[in-house]
Amino acid sequence: MPLLARFVTAPLVVEVHRGALSELAAILADQRISTSGRVAIAVGPTHGPIVQRTFEHDLVEADWFTVEGGTINTAVKLVEQIRQQRYDAIVGIGGGTVLDVTKFAAARLGLPMVAVATNLAHDGVASPISTLDNDAGRGSYGVPAPIAVLVDLDLIAQAPPRSVSSGIGEIVSNLSAVADWEAAHALQGEEMDGLAVSLARTSAQAVVNHPGGVTDDGFLATLAEGLVLSGISMVVAGTSRPSSGACHEISHAIDLLHPDRRAFHGEQVGVGAAFAWFLRDEEEMFRTTVDCLHRHGLPVRPADLGFGLEEFAAVVEYAPQTRPGRFTILEQLDLGPARIKAKVDEFNDHVYARIATADGSVTPEGRVL
Ligand SMILES: [Zn+2]
């Protein structure tokens, strides 16, 4: 009887624990990624010098590069610097920006990339996508996924709490993204991938159902592992589909229309996911999403992101244009401006009622205390 299976490209190493950074040299050698330690290491301007001190006696053959800003120009500059020498691999140590720039540079140079996350703000740590600012606003570029992924919980504990929490919005949005994918499959015949769905949805559910918060290691490990699996779900699917639907279209629209008012990516997609569940008229999932975001102190309503209801309605109206060809609840309902505004108003009232019911921490004007 034949044993049929498919091969899934996955990282050689996934390490999520305290002190993971100090194992970098051993992992590079043990996994034959770089036996000589001749690697290019990209770091951000803030944490770079601190991180570099960890390697006083390790990785002496490595060269260090500072990455400032997440633009395509920064990535191209890094390519120019790195191509002067021969390296076995590129290591990115930092938050989303550093990892996105490093992934793009590694793809251009054809070198394997090792991701060391110092933050959990989004699911880019293991994903095959690099998000960079360009002249047209912000673009997503397909790149090979990292060959090794390290999440050092000591570093995560030092990251700004708001940025770590935003990763919760990112992963919760998977549930909404998968619902969009299922609708696209049912209504448009779009192909689905059950393995990608399992990875994306299960990782989100693990975080939603976890009773802890960002101050405890157990929760952080679940969040980190969830974001890693989310990235792998995109590798399996070959697109960002399992983690990106109407929630992300709304976030991209905020990025493009209001670059000066961008919040954390995970905060924006969390609000987008809550709004998408409201549009689907799925009360239970709407409540689950709102409760999860609110419990972890994340924005839920447009005002929490600094937008008036008219402004948010304009964002929603623009959202489908950010990802042409992706069928989500926004394209499915295809609401005109007046109905969008009515839905945004209704959504706002519903969230207010839900939060007030949950803990009474809302003023009569709807301001979250
Ligand atoms: Zn995302």
Side-chain angles (χ1 to χ4, degrees):
M1 184 176 143
L3 283 173
L4 300 175
R6 64 167 151 174
F7 293 98
V8 172
T9 311
L12 289 169
V13 181
V14 175
E15 294 284 343
V16 178
H17 54 82
R18 286 187 178 267
L21 181 66
S22 60
E23 294 168 12
L24 177 62
I27 288 170
L28 291 173
D30 293 350
Q31 297 295 328
R32 303 278 188 273
I33 297 168
S34 175
T35 46
S36 66
R38 185 82 187 117
V39 291
I41 304 181
V43 288
T46 326
H47 289 97
I50 303 163
V51 167
Q52 201 167 348
R53 260 179 259 140
T54 313
F55 298 103
E56 267 170 352
H57 308 293
D58 270 343
L59 294 176
V60 285
E61 292 295 314
D63 288 330
W64 293 74
F65 300 88
T66 304
V67 167
E68 290 196 53
T71 66
I72 195 117
N73 287 343
T74 315
V76 170
K77 192 174 143 205
L78 183 63
V79 169
E80 293 305 323
Q81 289 173 314
I82 289 179
R83 71 166 11 134
Q84 316 281 335
Q85 302 272 339
R86 266 182 59 110
Y87 298 104
D88 298 328
I90 306 182
V91 181
I93 306 176
T97 303
V98 171
L99 297 187
D100 280 340
V101 168
T102 312
K103 266 195 266 184
F104 186 90
R108 287 284 285 265
L109 293 161
L111 288 172
M113 188 262 178
V114 175
V116 183
T118 60
N119 208 328
L120 294 177
H122 68 68
D123 61 16
V125 60
S127 79
I129 291 159
S130 163
T131 304
L132 296 170
D133 288 336
N134 55 31
D135 291 340
R138 183 169 278 190
S140 296
Y141 304 89
V143 294
I147 194 168
V149 176
L150 279 69
V151 181
D152 188 330
L153 296 183
D154 282 325
L155 296 173
I156 304 298
Q158 293 164 32
R162 192 182 142 199
S163 65
V164 178
S165 301
S166 70
I168 299 166
E170 171 82 318
I171 198 145
V172 166
S173 79
N174 283 5
L175 301 173
S176 176
V178 168
D180 279 330
W181 200 4
E182 284 174 332
H185 175 67
L187 301 172
Q188 304 267 305
E190 188 176 317
E191 205 175 315
M192 282 193 84
D193 188 308
L195 177 59
V197 167
S198 309
L199 291 167
R201 194 152 50 193
T202 309
S203 54
Q205 278 161 347
V207 170
V208 170
N209 295 326
H210 197 296
V214 293
T215 50
D216 74 78
D217 276 16
F219 180 84
L220 285 180
T222 302
L223 178 59
E225 287 164 356
L227 291 169
V228 169
L229 289 178
S230 235
I232 295 174
S233 78
M234 292 184 247
V235 175
V236 169
T239 81
S240 60
R241 230 339 171 172
S243 313
S244 169
C247 47
H248 277 62
E249 290 185 337
I250 289 171
S251 175
H252 294 328
I254 293 173
D255 291 341
L256 290 169
L257 297 177
H258 302 283
D260 52 323
R261 277 198 265 167
R262 283 175 188 168
F264 285 102
H265 171 76
E267 294 180 333
Q268 294 181 174
V269 299
V271 173
F275 183 67
W277 283 118
F278 179 74
L279 286 182
R280 286 184 205 103
D281 208 12
E282 292 214 26
E283 185 65 23
E284 201 182 319
M285 284 310 302
F286 168 76
R287 285 183 183 174
T288 301
T289 304
V290 169
D291 291 353
C292 177
L293 296 176
H294 182 61
R295 184 168 78 77
H296 291 288
L298 285 153
V300 192
R301 296 169 313 140
D304 304 334
L305 289 174
F307 292 106
L309 299 184
E310 298 266 0
E311 287 177 314
F312 192 72
V315 163
V316 171
E317 195 185 331
Y318 184 80
Q321 292 178 51
T322 64
R323 197 73 171 77
R326 180 151 294 183
F327 186 82
T328 76
I329 188 67
L330 299 175
E331 288 79 0
Q332 185 185 332
L333 297 179
D334 194 21
L335 304 170
R339 289 181 66 205
I340 289 175
K341 175 63 173 53
K343 284 288 180 193
V344 167
D345 290 354
E346 234 182 294
F347 165 71
N348 196 57
D349 292 345
H350 269 65
V351 174
Y352 167 64
R354 182 66 195 165
I355 293 175
T357 313
D359 58 19
S361 66
V362 175
T363 66
E365 309 85 58
R367 197 158 50 84
V368 178
L369 293 173

